[in-house]
Structures are given as structure tokens and as C-alpha cells.
Amino acid sequence: MLAEISDLDRARALLAWDERTKMPPAGAEARAEQEATLARIGHQRLVSDELGRLLDQAAAQTDGLPYESEQASLVRVARREWEKARRVPAELRAEITRTSSLAEHAWVEAKDRSDFASFLPHLQRNVELKRRYAECFEGFGGFEHVYDPLLDDFEPGMSTAEVGAVLAQLRDGIRPLAAELAGHRGAVDDSCLHGSFPLDAQAQLAREVVSELPLEQDAWRLDPTVHPFATAIAPSDIRITTRFDESYVGAPLWAVIHEAGHGLYENGIAPELSRSPLAGPDSLGFHESQSRMWENWVGRGRPYLERLHPRLRESFPEQFGAVDPETLYRAANKVEASLIRVEADQVTYNLHIVMRFELELELFEGGLELADLPEAWNARTAEYLGLEVPDDARGVLQDVHWAAGVFGYFPTYSLGNLIAAQIWDASRVALPDLDGQIASGELVPLRDWLRDRLYRHGAKFTPKEMIERLVGGPIDVGPYLRQLRARAAEIYGI
Amino acid sequence: MLAEISDLDRARALLAWDERTKMPPAGAEARAEQEATLARIGHQRLVSDELGRLLDQAAAQTDGLPYESEQASLVRVARREWEKARRVPAELRAEITRTSSLAEHAWVEAKDRSDFASFLPHLQRNVELKRRYAECFEGFGGFEHVYDPLLDDFEPGMSTAEVGAVLAQLRDGIRPLAAELAGHRGAVDDSCLHGSFPLDAQAQLAREVVSELPLEQDAWRLDPTVHPFATAIAPSDIRITTRFDESYVGAPLWAVIHEAGHGLYENGIAPELSRSPLAGPDSLGFHESQSRMWENWVGRGRPYLERLHPRLRESFPEQFGAVDPETLYRAANKVEASLIRVEADQVTYNLHIVMRFELELELFEGGLELADLPEAWNARTAEYLGLEVPDDARGVLQDVHWAAGVFGYFPTYSLGNLIAAQIWDASRVALPDLDGQIASGELVPLRDWLRDRLYRHGAKFTPKEMIERLVGGPIDVGPYLRQLRARAAEIYGI
């Protein structure tokens, strides 16, 4: 039954991948039906009495097995998913899907016209439904806050209190750093990254960049799309996507490494976990930790960029002919507050996240009215980023998440940053010559270290268990702030 | 329920398409599981008591509706599928799948070594299981011959006696024509089609050729693969595939038209039949009629080739610089017996089919032992094609069908030729200026005529009903033999 559910999920992932990379546009309507059918059939199985009975039987058989054994983990993780899924009435689920689909369409138009008012009723319905969704979990193991069930869908076992405390520390660490760097505005020139980069050469370079990452051979492909993502049709079938921009070279340099980082995680999951709920990453935060670690700490690091530099010169002689590796390194790590989250640098990115998390919390706790959201957004942007929001399109309407009915998701991006830094620290202790290895293109030792400690375990452990296993402590802002500050010190001389 | 079954089938079609065009090789094992799961879930629904009840209810509601109404057709066609599917025990079905999968692997090796003996036990099991499969239909509506149920899976309602009579007439018409043309061996020079054709230019030309066929815009794509096929993920999502050969220009000229012909059929099915068992072609013979009509009677016809000729010169100046349209037309229609079915010309192709059909019949009737099959194959090849078979790889082992456990399929290829000719005749009466339209690239009138009479009806009618509706009579060898003879007369002067 669990294998069937997994197969249905993976098939649906392929349908979604195809929809976003290959499908002729006229196929969209039929595709939506196909995806809905697979989702419905999988969900019927997930919430079935029969699965409950099978899990009871399996629990009896795995009684006494070690906590981390495959069988015990499978029963534990699957039972929790089963219990959570059964708490939500089918009608509510259907209503959420329908409403958020309408809201997403309304959002596209509202964003185009920078018209929050037209989007507001949709947002109200989304929030109302998510509140009802959260209410389904009253009395469910350990949930205390209305936001707990929302968060738990992405970070199983993490509480609002815990995440709130960590993100407050992060905010309080980042804000002075960002302020300090704002005083050095203009000290870094990243003009080499902007200009004219022929798309063919970008695609060729992107392919080479991914080829040299330690993904298993014959187990991945790279395709262009509009909104980049990575997905795994199986641990041995990784689909990376990217979007090329003629005027900016970020796609082949870092965007593909980011998506390949997600892919490296999925690709490293132990084959024996295949076709089970364990065959995914630990949590969204952990998933994001790997995209960000590979992108930011490998891909924007000096050893990697020094190695890449001659290749870049070959691909784009006009742009990089007179650019030395140090200039490239500085450009890759420029910090400057900006309005749009997805264009933000590594430092100020977290302020975008903290702000969204805080606003979500205030909305669900009831301290903030949805009608007042744009005002609150703009005030928080001024306070945290020192920027004035010129219109809602570049403000509260910029992200799809709320339109899609997704709340509790944003924090995982910053959790990913924190976890990435903790893992990066640990890997550098374990692999003392990591810089040298990266400089010579040897990325397999790092991959193997990560695979052994993190990737292969899939979703066996909760995020809290996993970080404890990895670094012997909880999620902690220290390593990340230290790393950011060290890099800023190198580049900005602060 | 029927919509769900359809969605599962279409999703599986996408998984199969992806497997053969895009999938990283390492994804194969997981993909097989995913496809098997979707097939199993769909089949469980198809044979369910619940579907029977739903069909009973629907039958009561559609009672009195016209035979060809959508609702009445849906109930009629779905009930027949349901009844057929329930006749076959799940274990037998599983055994057939397992055995034929092993047999296919054995066949690949046996063909490589031209070693029929190693393949024989697998073939014996395949035939034995198909015999048991046929026995499941004892007493089922109208089946009289052991081969009837096998044929019926591809040509619903066609009997062995009917197909046998038609193919015997075809054989007796083709053999003298082939013999006569064998006397003109060497009269047609097709060397312009063989040589060196850069793959990029072929791919470009293939794309242009398909673009100019009247497939709906934004509803198709073309991809390279190893064994070409066409599939429909929805009527508005057509996937055409082809294989390019550097030394032969057949892919962009005719192979893509063949596959696009299949696609035109699926693309023309009425949208209101979507997500139902009616949303497919009438039968394999009818499906093949359209690939062959577009390929052979449009694509190898003089008006089409005259229009294509300048384009061909541009794409391949060295090969076609000195070739005039008439030479191209003659080359496109050269007739010469050959050992390999898939390389055969339009005339002798049918002898390959008749021979296989006769051998299948003798095997299932018991007049031929499997061990004697190679000898029988070689004797029939000598008799019908006048060729000596040098080894089993180029003889009895050349096709995958029997290895895959597929019997009753081969005749549909020739039925497709016959139906194509009948439809082509009718379309030329209905569209008196068809040649002129083709010469000026106006293919929409032909497509619309076909859509109105054939495509839009999907699988509403049996093949016998459909051909009667189209031409006012049964499947008939006359039009095909006349057309072949007319073209041969033009080219060979016979």
C-alpha cells in the first residue's frame, strides 16, 4: 500500500515536471485532471482504514526493533502521516484546493495591476480555510499554537515557539550586519555578472557545471522552465530545471547548483528506502539546507570560483576577459538590500523571511487584520531592509505562497540557511582538505560525507533528531552568523 | 470511475513516453514499478463490481437513446471492455506480463546471436498462455475461433474468418503485382535518399514537416527516440517521436508523417469524449490507416513531394542539388522485396504481414509446431518474397511482437493499408481538388473531412460499423490494389 502511494506520488511528480518543461500548452486542462486523479487515489489510500490495519500489524512486528531501523522508522513515519491525513475531512481538503487555485489566478492578475484589494477576499478565504485546517489538529500530539500544524507539514515536530525563537535570534544577528554592510554600499562591483550572455553558451556552461557535481551518472537531466525547481521521479531519476536570462549569468553559475543541491540530497537516499514515505528528504528545511549549502558555500566560495574562472572566460570572453577571480568572488557575494526576496543576497534574504514569518504569525494569532497587511508589510520592509515599497506588486503581492494557500512554508528557507551553515562547519572539520578538494573539482568526498550522515537516511528522523545526530545540538544561528560575517569581513573589510 | 481509469491510462502513457524519450537511464527500475502500479490500479477499477453497477445504472438511463449518441456508445463500449476484462483471472494476466517480459529479454539475446533454440521455450510459454487467455472467452459473444479473442483485442468485433478472407484476397492480389515489379528490378534509382544527411538539418526539416501538417497548434511535440511511436497524453497533447539516421533521409520525410498521422487521428477526437474509453481511435487497423494514409498517399504522393522538393534541396544541397521532383517521387515509391518487414516498401510489406498472420493461425490451430516455425518462416519467405533467409535474426526473430506475447496484432498493419486506401478514395471524391490543395500546402480541408467522418467519433463504433459508415461497405482490397497498381504503372510503366 505504501509502495503504491509512493508510486502514485512519483508519477504525479513526473506529470508536474512534464507540465512545466515539455507539455504542449493545449495539454494543460487534461493534465490538471490527471494530476488531480492521481492525488485523489493516493490520498484515498493514505487515509484508508486498511492502511491503519496494515500499520497496526507492522507495528506489532517491528516492536523491539531499534528506533532507527528501516522497519521501525517506516511504521513510525507512516503512522504519523496517516494520523495527520485522517484528521482533515475530504471536503475541507477539496475546498482548500479549489479556493487556492482560484486565489492563485486572482493573484496573477492582482500582481499585474498591483491591486491588493482585488486579491484580499481570496486571501481571506485562504487564511480562513487554513485556520479550519489547523483546527482539525486540536489535541494532536504536542500542537499548542494555531500555527503549529501549518509548520508541521513542512518541519515535522518543530513548534512555532522553537522556530520563532531561532528566527528572532537570526533577525537580531542579521540586522546589525546588514546595517554595517549598508555603510559600504558600492564597495563591491558585480557588473561582470550583468550584461549580455548568449543563451546557448549559458546552457552549455550550465550542463558542464551540473555534470561536475557528484550526481550519479545517468541519473539526472537539466531542462529549461519558467519557475525553476528540482524534483525526483525516483532517487535515481533527478530532474533539475533552470531559467536562463540573457542579461544575467546567475543561472549557469548558481541557480543550477541550487537545484542540483536538492537533487544531490534525493539522489543520495538509500535505495532500500525506495517506494516508501522514507524515500524523501528529512524536511523542507533540510532539503533547502542542501540547495543553499551547495549554492552558497560551495558555489560562491573562493576555491570553486577560482576553478570555474577560466571556463567562464572561455564561455563569455567579452564579459570576463578582464575580470580576475577575486573580482568574480566579490561579485558573487555582494550584499545589498533589495525589495524582491528571490533576488536578495545571502545576508538580507533572511530579513525577507523573518518578516513574512512574523506577519503570518500575527495574522493567525489575530493581531493583524488582512486588510492591514500591505501597510504592515511596507512598515516592516522599511524597518528591516530600509527600503520603501513603491507598489504592492513589489511588496506584499510578490510571492505566490499565500495565494497558493501555503502558510508555514517561508520559515523553512531560513532554517535551511542555518542548517546549511551547521552542516558546512561539521563537514569542514571532517574533511580538513575540503577547500583543496573543491579547488581541484573533487566533490565526491563531500557528497559521500553528506550521504553517509544525512542523505541516505531520507525521512527516518525528525528535523530535531537529525540536526542532533549531525552536530550534537539543536538548530543554532551561531555558525551561520559567523560564516556570513567571515565572508563579509573578507569582502567588505568590516 | 471511467474518467479515473482514463486518467490513469493517460498518466501511464506519459510515463512510457518519458521513459523512451527523456528519462535518465538509471530511472528505469523505478519507472517499471510506477507503470505497473498505475496499470494495476486502473485494472482493478476496470474489473470492479462497482463499475458493473455503475454501467447497469447508466444503461437504464441511456435506454432509448440513439445508438451513436455519446452516452449510449459509452455504456456499450465500456460494458464490453468490462465484460472482457472480467473474463481473465488476475493470476493469468500477471503470469502473461511476467512471462512476456522474460521472453522479451531472452529474445533480445537470441536475436543478437541468431539463436532460435534459446528463444523457443519462452515462445512456447507465451503461446501456451495466450491459448489459455483465449480459452477465457469460451461462449463470449460470437467468438468461434481460438484466434478470435486475440484479434478482438485490437479489432473489436472482427472475426478470424473475416480477416482471413480479406488477407487471402490481399495476398492473391499483391503476389502477382510484386512478381511483375520484380521483373523491373533496377528501374528505379533511390540513391538520392541514401548518403549523408546531417542530423541537425534532418531534425530541422522534420520539425517543419510536422508543423505544416494540420495538427492543432500548441498541441503536439516531436522528440527523438530509439523505436519511434506516437502517443496521446490527451487529444490535445500529442507526442510524436522519430529516429534519425545519418545515412538515410526517411525520418524527416516519411517516418514523422507516419507518426503524425496517428497523432492527427487522436488530435481530432471530439473533446466531449475526453476522459472516457471512447477517447481513443476506433481500432488499431483504423489507427494504422491514418498513419499510412498520411505517410503513403499524402507524403509519398506527387503533389506533396513537388511542394517539398525545394525545401529538401535547401536542407541537403549536395544530395538533392541535381535531383528533380520526378526522381524524388520515383525514389519514394520504389518497390523491391526485402527480408526485414520494417524496411519493406508499400507493396511487399503486405506479404510480410500475410505470412505472419498465416503462421500465427497455424500455430494456434495446431497445424504447426513451434519448433518448426523457423523452417516454415523461411519457406514462406521464399514462396512469397522470393528471398532466402540467411539467419533467424533476419528471419523469424526479427520482430518483437511474439516475444512480447502479442498475437493477433500483425494483421492490423495490412488492415490499416486497406482501410487507408478506401478512405483515400472517398476523400478524393469528396474533395475534388485534393491534389491541388496538397500541392499548395492546404491540408486542413482533408483533416476536417477526416475529422468529421472518422476522428471525432473516437471509439464509438466497431471497425465494421465505421468502415460501413465511411464507404458504405465492408473492408475491401479493391481500392488498395487499384491504387498500388496505378502508382506502380506510373513509375514502372507496367
Side-chain angles (χ1 to χ4, degrees):
Chain A
M1 172 89 77
L2 291 172
E4 269 190 357
I5 295 172
S6 166
D7 286 340
L8 286 161
D9 281 346
R10 301 289 194 170
R12 195 152 50 95
L14 184 74
L15 266 62
W17 171 83
D18 180 80
E19 184 184 357
R20 294 158 79 179
T21 57
K22 305 292 172 194
M23 188 184 74
E29 205 177 320
R31 181 58 49 87
E33 298 282 5
Q34 292 155 5
E35 291 180 29
T37 292
L38 295 194
R40 195 173 51 249
I41 294 175
H43 188 73
Q44 284 162 357
R45 279 163 160 64
L46 177 61
V47 299
S48 66
D49 295 342
E50 194 192 342
L51 180 57
R53 275 193 300 277
L54 292 170
L55 288 170
D56 284 343
Q57 287 167 17
Q61 285 161 15
T62 55
D63 199 33
L65 287 181
Y67 184 85
E68 64 177 81
S69 74
E70 190 191 317
Q71 284 306 315
S73 301
L74 182 62
V75 172
R76 188 175 62 245
V77 170
R79 172 166 292 281
R80 195 167 189 276
E81 278 189 27
W82 179 79
E83 283 174 1
K84 283 187 69 180
R86 281 169 70 96
R87 288 242 164 191
V88 185
E91 309 79 62
L92 177 57
R93 242 178 234 287
E95 183 66 16
I96 288 174
T97 304
R98 213 171 12 246
T99 304
S100 59
S101 167
L102 289 175
E104 229 181 292
H105 284 284
W107 166 76
V108 170
E109 286 187 23
K111 189 181 171 191
D112 271 356
R113 300 196 314 267
S114 197
D115 173 14
F116 182 78
S118 72
F119 177 56
L120 178 59
H122 294 278
L123 187 55
Q124 271 161 340
R125 277 194 288 278
N126 274 355
V127 169
E128 177 52 33
L129 287 169
K130 271 288 149 149
R131 207 185 286 281
R132 281 173 51 200
Y133 176 84
E135 282 165 7
C136 298
F137 295 93
E138 224 159 274
F140 184 82
F143 289 167
E144 291 175 351
H145 190 282
V146 56
Y147 193 80
D148 278 354
L150 309 184
L151 195 56
D152 192 87
D153 283 348
F154 309 112
E155 297 297 323
M158 296 277 283
S159 72
T160 306
E162 288 165 323
V163 170
V166 166
L167 292 192
Q169 285 174 39
L170 177 62
R171 177 196 62 205
D172 297 342
I174 291 282
R175 288 189 63 192
L177 176 59
E180 204 174 340
L181 293 176
H184 292 74
R185 181 181 280 259
V188 167
D189 173 13
D190 67 347
S191 60
C192 63
L193 305 178
H194 300 270
S196 176
F197 304 90
L199 295 178
D200 278 359
Q202 285 198 57
Q204 172 65 25
L205 180 61
R207 185 157 302 282
E208 287 174 25
V209 161
V210 179
S211 298
E212 290 176 14
L213 294 174
L215 285 160
E216 270 171 37
Q217 224 191 337
D218 288 339
W220 62 275
R221 52 177 295 136
L222 169 66
D223 296 272
T225 191
V226 178
H227 299 291
F229 63 99
T231 189
I233 314 306
S236 53
D237 183 354
I238 305 298
R239 311 286 171 114
I240 300 163
T241 69
T242 199
R243 187 174 68 85
F244 296 106
D245 173 352
E246 212 270 338
S247 68
Y248 176 60
V249 74
L253 292 192
W254 302 296
V256 296
I257 303 183
H258 181 99
E259 302 304 342
H262 285 301
L264 281 159
Y265 196 160
E266 302 261 6
N267 190 216
I269 290 170
E272 54 270 27
L273 302 185
S274 284
R275 304 182 72 215
S276 88
L278 301 180
D282 191 75
S283 72
L284 276 197
F286 268 95
H287 217 318
E288 195 70 13
S289 82
Q290 290 313 291
S291 56
R292 287 170 185 266
M293 199 202 80
W294 285 95
E295 175 192 352
N296 292 329
W297 302 111
V298 176
R300 295 183 196 269
R302 193 180 262 122
Y304 180 84
L305 291 172
E306 280 178 356
R307 181 177 159 79
L308 188 70
H309 181 260
R311 189 88 55 85
L312 212 47
R313 265 198 169 152
E314 250 173 62
S315 296
F316 309 107
E318 286 184 30
Q319 289 280 150
F320 288 100
V323 172
D324 64 17
E326 191 59 22
T327 305
L328 173 62
Y329 174 61
R330 291 170 61 83
N333 292 283
K334 181 177 174 178
V335 175
E336 188 173 314
S338 60
L339 281 171
I340 307 297
R341 176 182 62 87
V342 298
E343 296 169 4
D345 61 75
Q346 282 186 78
V347 173
T348 62
Y349 184 91
N350 301 285
L351 298 173
H352 289 269
I353 296 304
V354 168
M355 184 181 121
R356 284 158 177 75
F357 169 72
E358 291 174 349
L359 293 172
E360 285 190 355
L361 222 53
E362 290 167 30
L363 286 172
F364 278 90
E365 287 174 346
L368 174 64
E369 292 297 314
L370 275 167
D372 302 329
L373 186 58
E375 205 182 324
W377 179 284
N378 298 348
R380 204 77 46 122
T381 304
E383 185 186 353
Y384 288 177
L385 294 164
L387 297 172
E388 196 181 326
V389 178
D391 50 48
D392 289 338
R394 281 172 283 182
V396 68
L397 289 175
Q398 68 179 265
D399 297 306
V400 70
H401 301 60
W402 294 342
V406 176
F407 301 89
Y409 189 112
F410 279 125
T412 70
Y413 293 120
S414 275
L415 293 178
N417 276 332
L418 301 181
I419 297 166
Q422 290 180 275
I423 294 175
W424 185 240
D425 264 7
S427 70
R428 295 172 74 83
V429 173
L431 303 167
D433 188 32
L434 184 55
D435 277 355
Q437 288 167 344
I438 294 173
S440 59
E442 287 169 41
L443 297 170
V444 170
L446 175 59
R447 193 268 321 260
D448 284 350
W449 185 86
L450 289 160
R451 181 174 276 199
D452 187 48
R453 275 154 194 78
L454 174 60
Y455 302 167
R456 72 184 172 91
H457 297 296
K460 270 188 185 177
F461 304 106
T462 67
K464 284 200 280 189
E465 290 167 351
M466 182 49 95
I467 195 71
E468 182 72 37
R469 288 175 60 96
L470 275 165
V471 302
I475 293 180
D476 176 18
V477 302
Y480 184 51
L481 291 175
R482 275 195 296 280
Q483 285 170 26
L484 283 184
R485 194 162 274 280
R487 194 168 275 184
E490 263 193 294
I491 286 170
Y492 286 91
I494 62 169
Chain B
M1 173 87 81
L2 291 172
E4 270 191 356
I5 295 172
S6 167
D7 287 339
L8 286 161
D9 281 348
R10 301 289 194 169
R12 195 151 51 93
L14 184 74
L15 267 61
W17 171 83
D18 180 80
E19 184 184 359
R20 295 158 79 180
T21 58
K22 305 291 172 197
M23 187 184 74
E29 206 178 318
R31 181 58 50 87
E33 298 282 5
Q34 292 154 3
E35 291 180 27
T37 292
L38 295 194
R40 195 174 50 248
I41 294 175
H43 188 72
Q44 283 162 357
R45 279 163 160 64
L46 177 61
V47 299
S48 67
D49 295 342
E50 195 193 341
L51 180 57
R53 276 192 301 276
L54 292 171
L55 288 170
D56 284 343
Q57 287 166 17
Q61 285 160 15
T62 56
D63 199 34
L65 286 182
Y67 184 84
E68 64 178 81
S69 74
E70 190 192 317
Q71 285 306 314
S73 301
L74 181 62
V75 172
R76 186 175 65 243
V77 170
R79 172 165 293 281
R80 194 167 190 274
E81 277 188 29
W82 178 80
E83 282 174 0
K84 283 187 70 179
R86 282 169 69 97
R87 288 242 164 191
V88 185
E91 310 79 60
L92 177 57
R93 244 179 233 286
E95 181 67 14
I96 288 173
T97 304
R98 216 171 10 247
T99 304
S100 60
S101 168
L102 289 175
E104 230 182 290
H105 284 285
W107 167 75
V108 171
E109 286 187 23
K111 190 182 171 190
D112 270 357
R113 300 196 314 268
S114 197
D115 173 15
F116 182 79
S118 73
F119 177 57
L120 178 58
H122 294 279
L123 187 56
Q124 270 161 342
R125 278 194 288 278
N126 274 356
V127 170
E128 177 51 34
L129 287 169
K130 271 288 150 149
R131 206 185 287 280
R132 280 173 52 199
Y133 176 84
E135 282 165 8
C136 298
F137 295 92
E138 223 160 275
F140 184 82
F143 289 167
E144 290 176 350
H145 190 282
V146 56
Y147 193 80
D148 278 354
L150 309 184
L151 195 56
D152 192 85
D153 284 347
F154 309 112
E155 297 297 323
M158 295 277 284
S159 72
T160 305
E162 289 164 323
V163 170
V166 166
L167 292 192
Q169 285 174 38
L170 177 62
R171 175 196 62 207
D172 296 342
I174 291 283
R175 288 189 63 192
L177 176 60
E180 204 174 340
L181 293 175
H184 293 73
R185 181 182 279 260
V188 168
D189 173 14
D190 69 346
S191 59
C192 63
L193 305 177
H194 300 269
S196 175
F197 304 90
L199 295 178
D200 277 0
Q202 285 198 57
Q204 172 65 24
L205 180 61
R207 185 157 303 281
E208 287 174 25
V209 161
V210 179
S211 297
E212 292 178 12
L213 295 174
L215 284 161
E216 270 172 38
Q217 224 190 338
D218 288 338
W220 62 275
R221 52 177 294 137
L222 169 66
D223 296 273
T225 191
V226 178
H227 299 289
F229 62 100
T231 189
I233 314 305
S236 53
D237 184 353
I238 304 297
R239 312 285 171 115
I240 301 164
T241 69
T242 198
R243 188 175 69 83
F244 296 106
D245 173 351
E246 211 271 337
S247 69
Y248 176 60
V249 75
L253 293 192
W254 301 297
V256 294
I257 303 183
H258 180 98
E259 301 304 341
H262 284 302
L264 281 159
Y265 196 160
E266 302 260 6
N267 189 215
I269 291 170
E272 55 269 27
L273 303 184
S274 284
R275 303 182 73 213
S276 87
L278 301 181
D282 191 75
S283 72
L284 276 196
F286 269 95
H287 217 318
E288 194 71 13
S289 84
Q290 291 312 292
S291 56
R292 286 170 187 265
M293 199 203 79
W294 285 95
E295 176 193 351
N296 292 329
W297 301 111
V298 176
R300 294 183 196 269
R302 193 180 263 123
Y304 180 85
L305 290 173
E306 280 178 357
R307 181 176 159 79
L308 188 70
H309 181 260
R311 189 87 56 85
L312 211 48
R313 265 198 170 152
E314 252 174 60
S315 296
F316 310 107
E318 285 186 30
Q319 288 281 150
F320 288 100
V323 172
D324 63 18
E326 190 60 22
T327 304
L328 173 63
Y329 175 60
R330 291 170 61 82
N333 291 284
K334 180 178 174 179
V335 174
E336 189 174 314
S338 61
L339 281 170
I340 307 297
R341 176 181 61 86
V342 297
E343 297 169 3
D345 61 75
Q346 282 187 78
V347 172
T348 62
Y349 185 91
N350 301 284
L351 298 173
H352 289 268
I353 295 305
V354 168
M355 184 181 121
R356 284 157 176 76
F357 169 71
E358 290 174 351
L359 293 172
E360 284 190 355
L361 222 53
E362 290 167 30
L363 286 172
F364 277 90
E365 287 174 344
L368 174 63
E369 292 296 315
L370 276 167
D372 301 329
L373 185 58
E375 204 183 324
W377 179 285
N378 297 349
R380 204 78 46 123
T381 305
E383 187 187 350
Y384 288 177
L385 294 165
L387 298 172
E388 197 180 325
V389 178
D391 49 48
D392 289 338
R394 281 173 283 182
V396 68
L397 289 175
Q398 69 180 264
D399 296 308
V400 70
H401 302 58
W402 293 341
V406 176
F407 300 90
Y409 189 112
F410 279 124
T412 69
Y413 293 121
S414 274
L415 292 179
N417 277 332
L418 301 181
I419 296 165
Q422 290 179 275
I423 294 176
W424 185 242
D425 263 7
S427 70
R428 294 172 74 84
V429 172
L431 304 167
D433 187 32
L434 184 54
D435 277 356
Q437 289 167 343
I438 294 174
S440 59
E442 286 169 41
L443 298 171
V444 170
L446 175 59
R447 192 269 319 260
D448 284 350
W449 185 85
L450 289 160
R451 181 174 276 199
D452 187 48
R453 277 154 192 78
L454 173 60
Y455 302 168
R456 71 184 173 91
H457 297 296
K460 270 188 184 177
F461 304 106
T462 67
K464 284 200 278 190
E465 290 165 351
M466 182 48 95
I467 194 72
E468 181 73 37
R469 287 175 62 95
L470 275 165
V471 303
I475 294 180
D476 176 17
V477 301
Y480 185 51
L481 291 175
R482 275 195 296 278
Q483 286 169 25
L484 283 184
R485 193 162 276 279
R487 196 168 272 184
E490 263 193 295
I491 286 169
Y492 286 91
I494 60 169

